[in-house]
């Protein structure tokens, strides 16, 4: 496991532990946690808090045949689930939760060109948020943009830098409304990111603004 | 009802060679206070889950059910399910616990935490109607049983967390509960809880490091 330098924020982790995030963000959090033991430990500590809440929630009356009905459910199902076999040696770049949604690794992604060599693939678009894969050629700058909501970017391959920092595989960048940045992919390797947004982006240049409805980012 | 298994645990817990005086027998039979503590301790519940995992122990499952099923149902009702749906969902959660008992890792989660995660996922399935992506599993088998020191340390941290939760100001505690019932959107959640989450995180981190080490 490589070192991850930029971890996810506590509010998003707690939201994931509570099951309160929009679907699009769930995928990015699950994928990031798969790559970072530090975030996994923080997530499990927020789940420990959920356990404490469950322990103090009080009790509700059960149906009279509740226990028997549960036993019936158990015998209706087959034998106890076996522990999942250890994953085969990692060959791709997508952790399991992303692989499940894409239906495979990088070679299974159905990219759509969006100009300047940039490609994207929308994985899920809900009413409150959407999530996509973005492919930025090595050395390529993204159009400058700011945000109306929260944008969460997870790097899967390569790296990019903006005015503030550099982000590589496993790193997460959270950008809010105040962020106005020009990410540029590092030279040497094409950069692939998984990005969740809870509102469409605003581009600052004229052309990108015209392109925005088509690009969808 | 005092189950035979619990009684056996109490006796096992005594140092070897201790003669069980009649008074000790009476104390056990009379459900003395110390017996109750043993019954509700984290150690006790971990042993029950492990008995389900290794021996399909139905008595252990019945006990787990009596203690946790009413809590799971209450949790689901507070999360917005009506009584009928909460009962269905709870039965499903309890049946899942039976099937997945062998996947429970006591060095990383208390029994209540494990049950919370199963209930939360079922709640998302049923109330939000989608199967949530979960982080990649870190596989461990019976040959890589967790370190006993990690298990004990995690139990102590879980206990500290539960105690700290009780002493929180009412307003703050209610806010945390509402977050976990799903009453708050993610932007309304304040992750600053004032609880000793950093220490429990360090324990879990250590257990993960050991697990990684075992796998290589």
């Amino acid at each position: 496991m490589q070192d991850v330098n930029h971890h996810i924020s506590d509010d998003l982790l707690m939201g994931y532990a509570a099951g309160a995030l929009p679907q699009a963000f769930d995928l990015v959090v699950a994928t990031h946690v798969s790559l970072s033991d530090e975030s996994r430990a923080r997530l499990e500590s927020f789940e420990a808090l959920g356990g404490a809440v469950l322990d103090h929630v009080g009790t509700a009356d059960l149906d009279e045949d509740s226990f028997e009905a549960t036993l019936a459910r158990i015998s209706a199902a087959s034998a106890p689930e076996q522990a999942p076999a250890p994953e085969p040696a990692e060959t791709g770049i997508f952790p399991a939760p992303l692989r499940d949604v894409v239906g495979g690794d990088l070679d299974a992604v159905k990219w759509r060109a969006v100009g300047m060599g940039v490609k994207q693939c929308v994985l899920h678009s809900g009413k409150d948020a959407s999530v996509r894969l973005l492919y930025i050629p090595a050395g390529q700058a993204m159009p400058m943009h700011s945000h109306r909501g929260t944008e969460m970017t997870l790097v899967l391959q390569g790296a990019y830098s903006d005015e503030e920092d550099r982000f590589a595989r496993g790193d997460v960048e959270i950008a809010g409304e105040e962020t106005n940045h020009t990410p540029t992919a590092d030279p040497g390797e094409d950069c692939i990111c998984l990005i969740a947004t809870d509102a469409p982006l605003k581009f600052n240049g004229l052309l990108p603004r015209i392109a925005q409805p088509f690009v969808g980012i | 009802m005092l189950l035979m298994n619990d009684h056996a645990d109490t006796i096992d817990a005594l140092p070897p060679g201790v003669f069980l005086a009649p008074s000790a027998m009476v104390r056990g039979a009379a459900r003395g206070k110390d017996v109750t503590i043993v019954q509700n301790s984290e150690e006790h519940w971990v042993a029950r889950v492990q008995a389900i995992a290794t021996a399909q122990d139905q008595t252990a499952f019945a006990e787990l059910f009596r203690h946790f099923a009413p809590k799971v149902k209450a949790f689901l009702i507070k999360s917005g399910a009506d009584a009928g749906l909460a009962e269905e969902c709870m039965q499903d959660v309890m049946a899942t616990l039976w099937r997945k008992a062998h996947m429970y890792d006591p060095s990383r989660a208390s029994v209540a935490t494990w049950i919370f995660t199963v209930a939360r996922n079922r709640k998302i399935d049923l109330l939000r109607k989608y199967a949530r992506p979960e982080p990649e599993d870190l596989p461990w088998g019976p040959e890589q049983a967790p370190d006993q020191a990690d298990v004990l340390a995690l139990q102590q941290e879980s206990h500290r967390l539960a105690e700290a939760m009780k002493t929180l100001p009412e307003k703050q505690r209610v806010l945390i509960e509402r977050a976990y019932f799903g009453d708050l959107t993610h932007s309304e959640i304040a992750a600053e809880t004032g609880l000793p989450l950093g220490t429990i995180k360090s324990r879990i981190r250590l257990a993960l490091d050991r697990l990684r080490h075992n796998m290589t």
Side-chain angles (χ1 to χ4, degrees), chain A residues 16 26 44 46 66 81 96, chain B residues 87 102 108 130 132 136 180:
Chain A
Y16 182 81
D26 279 341
E44 289 179 10
F46 280 118
S66 198
E81 269 179 45
Chain B
E87 174 74 31
H102 60 286
R108 282 165 57 196
Y130 87 97
R132 185 171 83 146
E136 201 160 274
Y180 283 87

Side-chain angles (χ1 to χ4, degrees), chain A residues 83-116:
Chain A
E87 299 270 328
E90 279 292 324
T91 51
I93 62 164
F94 291 175
L98 181 56
R99 240 181 1 246
D100 289 348
V101 169
V102 169
D105 206 77
L106 191 53
D107 50 6
V109 178
K110 295 181 179 64
W111 294 107
R112 261 186 52 209
V114 295
M116 300 180 295

Side-chain angles (χ1 to χ4, degrees), chain A residues 144-155:
Chain A
M144 182 176 276
H145 62 275
S146 54
H147 311 85
R148 278 195 285 272
T150 302
E151 179 189 70
M152 178 182 179
T153 304
L154 167 67
V155 180

Side-chain angles (χ1 to χ4, degrees), chain A residues 44-187:
Chain A
E44 289 179 10
S45 67
F46 280 118
E47 289 177 337
L49 187 51
V53 169
L54 176 71
D55 234 354
H56 294 101
V57 71
T59 57
D61 289 338
L62 304 184
D63 285 3
E64 236 165 72
D65 65 342
S66 198
F67 184 61
E68 290 69 25
T70 303
L71 291 184
R73 273 172 203 257
I74 290 170
S75 32
S78 48
E81 269 179 45
Q82 290 309 303
E87 299 270 328
E90 279 292 324
T91 51
I93 62 164
F94 291 175
L98 181 56
R99 240 181 1 246
D100 289 348
V101 169
V102 169
D105 206 77
L106 191 53
D107 50 6
V109 178
K110 295 181 179 64
W111 294 107
R112 261 186 52 209
V114 295
M116 300 180 295
V118 177
K119 298 183 283 185
Q120 72 160 353
C121 171
V122 177
L123 297 175
H124 169 80
S125 187
K127 63 175 180 358
D128 50 359
S130 64
V131 60
R132 73 204 64 232
L133 282 161
L134 195 66
Y135 187 107
I136 313 163
Q140 172 75 54
M142 283 296 292
M144 182 176 276
H145 62 275
S146 54
H147 311 85
R148 278 195 285 272
T150 302
E151 179 189 70
M152 178 182 179
T153 304
L154 167 67
V155 180
L156 297 161
Q157 178 191 293
Y160 72 85
S161 303
D162 63 13
E163 292 82 347
E164 306 267 303
D165 233 322
R166 180 173 180 276
F167 299 86
R169 177 166 165 88
D171 285 341
V172 162
E173 183 184 21
I174 312 283
E177 302 209 0
E178 71 288 354
T179 316
N180 194 333
H181 61 174
T182 317
T184 304
D186 278 16

Side-chain angles (χ1 to χ4, degrees), chain B residues 144 207-216:
Chain B
Q144 288 162 336
L208 288 175
D209 288 346
R210 289 226 173 90
L211 182 60
R212 290 269 179 214
H213 188 71
N214 285 344
M215 281 159 59
T216 54

Side-chain angles (χ1 to χ4, degrees), chain A residues 173-204:
Chain A
E173 183 184 21
I174 312 283
E177 302 209 0
E178 71 288 354
T179 316
N180 194 333
H181 61 174
T182 317
T184 304
D186 278 16
E189 193 176 15
D190 296 340
C191 182
I192 297 169
C193 299
L194 181 65
I195 305 172
T197 43
D198 63 3
L201 306 191
K202 295 180 287 194
F203 285 97
N204 300 340

